[in-house]
């Protein structure tokens, strides 16, 4: 094997965000760009010598080319073996599972998740550590430091590896194992859920539509839902991963999964609908005429998880990201479970899961997961819902009505303002930050402000501290607004405004969501001086 050291770098701005490094695909395709980031990652973890890794991606444009480059780099850096998904495909939760099952040193996921794919769209890469979870902040900081100092990368001069067939091959001394992306993941699911019960549910005529959004979950959903669980053919739609996700955004929310939403709101609706994102870690849950917000979904799963075999002994605790609604806190309180609030991004759940402090975790952005892996897991959430519905023999709407009657309803919505000029978005955040301390006690849009601060997270396991994790404003009556800037976008800034209003158990749970949140929204627009600072008050996307 001929190893080349290529002089290159550093490149500007290779700073991992909420979930890895995301850039325009053409940026990643610039000679040496991907290579320098990968080399920096390997440098940050003390080199690759003798180590084993998992590599896979969501199948977007440049996925296979990137894997070829990374395999040659892993070999040149002395890695002993790499496990790769067939055709370069592995969902994010499947990578997490393989890292754990095979005790590898870490893994790479090639994905920009819910961002669109294609040569003129987005690409991304994230590094996961040996617990199967996203690299924690200490490591992402070390990676970024390396990207600023790098001057060369190492790569083997060799032909491409055939990724199409399951089996083994080598580059020099490094062994490469091409695996079926689904098999080990499916085996894990079978340990957690009552497949016989869910199979009986489908056999009884229960109908479902699963929209894989032309992304990586297609093969998993087909094998598990239509294969092992006997759902009729055609249950899974858009099941073949495509390089540009059929031209859409593989983002499972009512806006981007509108075809599924329309079907679920129609007279011809199946009993149950679900969708997942580009890399298979997010989920959308929708019943006949009943969309379930991700925050509510986490709460319902927490309240009912014991109905599935994998969680029959109950949960230890529940964690949610700070902007996620407090619906799961109410469940935790009643069930006597520990409850944690973390910054946005799955990397903050890893320590809590490893320390056995929590069993379930979730985010308002449609990510839910448990201690079975160290990533959020879209299909897992769908299977847990199916298991619960099979046990309760109720519709999604009935489950939700019962949940709200028991715990009250946290009306919730996230408003995204996309492609805001970076200076303007920063100015809005800075201005709001500076006046937080004067807000408490004032009355805005008819609501009294009861608290206002910027979220700082103190990790209870390793003591690390993360600052500037979102501005939050509390109002009378458990209403709340949170503002933060996205860390996954690739164009300008995205301002996220999270709105919440609590309706107690005996209140009306059937209000229109926008109507229920109107006062909080007006208060935010006024407090932030939004019109003046970013030139608009209407969001691009409401989820
Ligand atoms: C978004 C979501 C966050 C999620 C992250 C990665 O981050 O808000 O909850 O963990 O995406 O998910 P941000 O910084 O844009 O708000 V994924 O499925 O895109 O890897
Ligand atoms: Co994702």
């Amino acid at each position: 094997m001929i190893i080349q050291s290529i002089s290159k770098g550093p490149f500007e701005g290779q700073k991992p965000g909420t979930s890895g490094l995301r850039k325009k695909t053409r940026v990643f395709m610039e000679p040496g760009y991907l290579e320098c980031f990968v080399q920096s990652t390997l440098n940050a973890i003390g080199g690759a010598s003798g180590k084993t890794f998992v590599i896979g991606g969501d199948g977007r444009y440049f996925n296979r080319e990137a894997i070829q480059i990374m395999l040659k780099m892993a070999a040149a850096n002395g890695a002993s073996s790499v496990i790769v998904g067939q055709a370069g495909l592995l969902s994010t939760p499947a990578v997490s599972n393989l890292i754990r099952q095979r005790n590898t040193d870490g893994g790479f996921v090639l994905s920009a998740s819910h961002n669109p794919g294609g040569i003129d769209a987005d690409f991304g890469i994230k590094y996961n550590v040996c617990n199967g979870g996203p690299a924690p902040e200490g490591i992402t900081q070390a990676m970024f430091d390396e990207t600023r100092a790098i001057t060369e990368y190492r790569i083997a001069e060799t032909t491409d590896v055939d990724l199409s067939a399951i089996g083994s091959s080598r580059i020099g001394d490094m062994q490469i194992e091409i695996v079926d992306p689904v098999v080990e993941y499916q085996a894990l699911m079978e340990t957690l859920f009552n497949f016989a019960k869910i199979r009986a549910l489908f056999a009884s005529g229960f109908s479902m539509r699963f929209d894989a959004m032309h992304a990586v979950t297609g093969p998993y959903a087909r094998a598990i839902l239509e294969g092992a669980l006997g759902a009729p053919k055609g249950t899974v739609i858009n099941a073949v991963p495509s390089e540009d996700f059929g031209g859409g955004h593989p983002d499972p929310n009512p806006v981007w999964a509108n075809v599924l939403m329309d079907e679920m709101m129609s007279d011809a609706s199946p009993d149950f609908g679900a969708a997942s994102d580009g890399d298979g870690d997010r989920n959308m849950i929708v019943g006949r005429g009943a969309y379930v917000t991700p925050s509510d979904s986490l709460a319902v799963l927490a309240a009912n998880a014991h109905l599935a075999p994998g969680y029959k002994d109950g949960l230890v605790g529940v964690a949610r990201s700070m902007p996620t609604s407090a619906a799961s806190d109410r469940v935790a309180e009643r069930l006597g479970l520990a409850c944690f609030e973390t910054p946005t991004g799955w990397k903050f759940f890893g320590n809590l899961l490893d320390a056995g402090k929590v069993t379930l975790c979730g985010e308002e952005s449609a990510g839910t997961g448990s201690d079975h892996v160290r990533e959020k897991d879209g299909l897992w959430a769908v299977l847990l819902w199916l298991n619960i519905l099979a046990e309760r023999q109720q519709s999604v709407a009935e489950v939700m009505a019962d949940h709200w009657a028991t715990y009250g309803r946290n009306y919730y919505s996230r408003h995204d303002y996309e492609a805001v000029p970076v200076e303007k978005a920063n100015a809005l955040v800075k201005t709001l930050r500076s006046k937080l301390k004067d807000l408490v006690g004032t009355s805005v849009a008819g609501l009294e402000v009861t608290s206002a601060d910027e979220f700082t997270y103190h990790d209870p396991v390793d003591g690390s501290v993360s600052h500037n994790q979102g501005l939050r404003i509390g109002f009378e009556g458990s209403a709340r607004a949170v503002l933060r800037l996205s860390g996954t976008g690739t164009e300008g800034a995205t301002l996220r405004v999270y709105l919440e209003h609590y309706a107690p158990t005996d209140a009306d749970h059937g209000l229109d969501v926008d109507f229920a949140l109107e006062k909080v929204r007006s208060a935010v627009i006024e407090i932030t001086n939004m019109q003046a600072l970013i030139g608009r008050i209407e969001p691009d996307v409401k989820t």
Side-chain angles (χ1 to χ4, degrees):
M1 177 175 72
I2 300 166
I3 296 174
Q4 291 190 313
S5 287
I6 312 268
S7 295
K8 206 77 197 177
F11 288 88
E12 278 280 299
Q14 292 195 324
K15 187 174 171 56
T18 312
S19 178
L21 183 69
R22 291 186 196 180
K23 298 284 175 195
K24 289 289 167 205
T25 310
R26 287 188 194 273
V27 173
F28 265 105
M29 292 168 71
E30 280 170 32
Y33 189 92
L34 170 76
E35 291 86 339
C36 282
F37 185 72
V38 171
Q39 186 66 55
S40 299
T41 302
L42 297 177
N43 295 347
I45 59 167
S49 182
K51 292 184 178 168
T52 59
F53 298 102
V54 178
I55 302 180
D58 63 10
R60 70 180 60 221
Y61 188 89
F62 197 52
N63 188 50
R64 271 172 300 187
E65 293 82 346
I67 291 177
Q68 296 293 351
I69 291 170
M70 291 167 69
L71 286 173
K72 291 171 195 174
M73 288 185 66
N77 280 276
S80 71
S81 74
V82 179
I83 299 166
V84 192
Q86 187 179 16
L89 295 177
L90 280 173
S91 73
T92 287
V95 168
S96 186
N97 182 47
L98 279 169
I99 293 172
R100 295 165 65 78
Q101 299 286 338
R102 308 292 196 93
N103 286 315
T104 74
D105 294 281
F108 292 88
V109 181
L110 299 167
S111 173
S113 192
H114 60 288
N115 299 25
I119 191 166
D120 290 313
D122 295 349
F123 192 78
I125 175 167
K126 61 179 171 168
Y127 180 68
N128 282 25
V129 294
C130 63
N131 73 349
E137 279 200 321
I139 295 181
T140 55
Q141 183 59 46
M143 285 157 59
F144 182 46
D145 292 344
E146 292 287 343
T147 68
R148 287 190 289 188
I150 192 167
T151 54
E152 62 170 39
Y153 66 87
R154 289 160 69 77
I155 189 159
E157 207 183 76
T158 176
T159 51
D160 281 359
V161 176
D162 179 8
L163 302 177
S164 67
I166 289 165
S168 298
S169 59
R170 312 186 78 85
I171 296 179
D173 290 336
M174 185 182 85
Q175 188 177 335
I176 299 165
E177 187 189 352
I178 314 280
V179 298
D180 182 306
V182 179
V183 170
E184 284 162 77
Y185 177 83
Q186 180 172 336
L188 176 66
M189 294 301 115
E190 286 173 8
T191 67
L192 299 173
F193 303 116
N194 189 338
F195 270 42
K197 193 108 195 185
I198 304 173
R199 207 179 298 125
L201 180 72
F202 281 120
S204 73
F206 179 89
S207 56
M208 174 176 182
R209 188 79 62 236
F210 183 100
D211 189 348
M213 304 192 86
H214 306 277
V216 78
T217 318
Y220 296 83
R222 271 210 174 137
I224 295 175
L225 298 173
E226 296 181 3
L229 295 171
K233 296 271 170 284
T235 295
V236 182
I237 56 170
N238 301 321
V240 180
S242 92
E243 290 196 329
D244 68 347
F245 308 113
H249 286 224
D251 194 349
N253 62 41
V255 177
W256 292 110
N258 59 326
V259 175
L260 174 66
M261 279 301 284
D262 290 348
E263 186 182 4
M264 297 308 297
M265 299 302 144
S266 76
D267 291 342
S269 167
D271 295 301
F272 186 59
S276 59
D277 72 333
D279 59 330
D281 56 0
R282 297 189 184 194
N283 70 93
M284 180 174 91
I285 300 295
V286 52
R288 178 178 292 143
Y291 168 68
V292 182
T293 67
S295 296
D296 273 350
S297 178
L298 174 65
V300 168
L301 296 183
N304 294 279
H306 62 277
L307 298 174
Y311 308 93
K312 66 177 189 318
D313 298 329
L315 311 175
V316 200
V318 181
R320 62 166 173 85
S321 67
M322 185 276 282
T324 303
S325 95
S328 57
D329 301 18
R330 298 182 191 282
V331 175
E333 194 183 350
R334 178 171 297 218
L335 300 184
L337 307 174
C339 183
F340 297 87
E341 190 178 43
T342 60
T344 294
W346 210 262
K347 57 177 172 260
F348 294 101
F349 293 131
N351 280 345
L352 296 171
L353 291 162
D354 284 350
K357 289 183 178 294
V358 297
T359 316
L360 291 199
C361 305
E363 295 193 279
E364 52 66 40
S365 55
T368 344
S370 87
D371 57 2
H372 69 291
V373 287
R374 292 294 179 274
E375 283 280 5
K376 52 192 191 269
D377 188 343
L379 197 46
W380 167 90
V382 173
L383 292 169
L384 182 49
W385 262 96
L386 282 170
N387 201 145
I388 291 166
L389 294 175
E391 289 292 343
R392 290 185 53 156
Q393 296 288 319
Q394 285 176 310
S395 70
V396 172
E398 286 166 342
V399 169
M400 291 318 300
D402 177 55
H403 188 88
W404 293 329
T406 309
Y407 299 98
R409 176 172 183 183
N410 289 70
Y411 284 101
Y412 187 86
S413 185
R414 186 179 94 189
H415 292 189
D416 291 335
Y417 299 80
E418 294 175 346
V420 178
V422 174
E423 330 74 64
K424 289 189 176 178
N426 286 338
L428 184 143
V429 168
K430 199 171 157 211
T431 311
L432 177 58
R433 182 179 286 138
S434 69
K435 66 185 202 189
L436 280 177
K437 58 181 188 319
D438 302 323
L439 282 176
V440 180
T442 62
S443 186
V444 192
L447 283 178
E448 193 191 324
V449 177
T450 53
S451 64
D453 68 359
E454 184 156 25
F455 181 49
T456 298
Y457 180 57
H458 298 267
D459 187 310
V461 179
D462 68 11
S464 60
V465 179
S466 303
H467 295 282
N468 305 332
Q469 298 298 326
L471 305 169
R472 47 186 184 179
I473 308 165
F475 300 94
E476 60 186 304
S478 300
R480 185 180 77 146
V482 174
L483 289 94
R484 59 180 284 280
L485 299 180
S486 157
T488 57
T490 59
E491 253 174 69
T494 295
L495 171 68
R496 301 205 196 283
V497 179
Y498 310 80
L499 306 170
E500 180 173 358
H501 166 78
Y502 178 62
T505 49
D506 54 356
D508 188 350
H509 300 140
L511 299 180
D512 172 73
V513 175
D514 283 342
F515 175 76
L517 296 170
E518 187 46 41
K519 270 189 176 177
V520 194
R521 173 178 132 84
S522 301
V524 169
I525 289 170
E526 196 177 322
I527 290 171
T528 56
N529 202 8
M530 192 182 282
Q531 182 67 49
L533 291 182
I534 65 167
R536 58 188 160 125
I537 57 170
E538 283 308 317
D540 299 285
V541 181
K542 285 187 197 174
T543 52

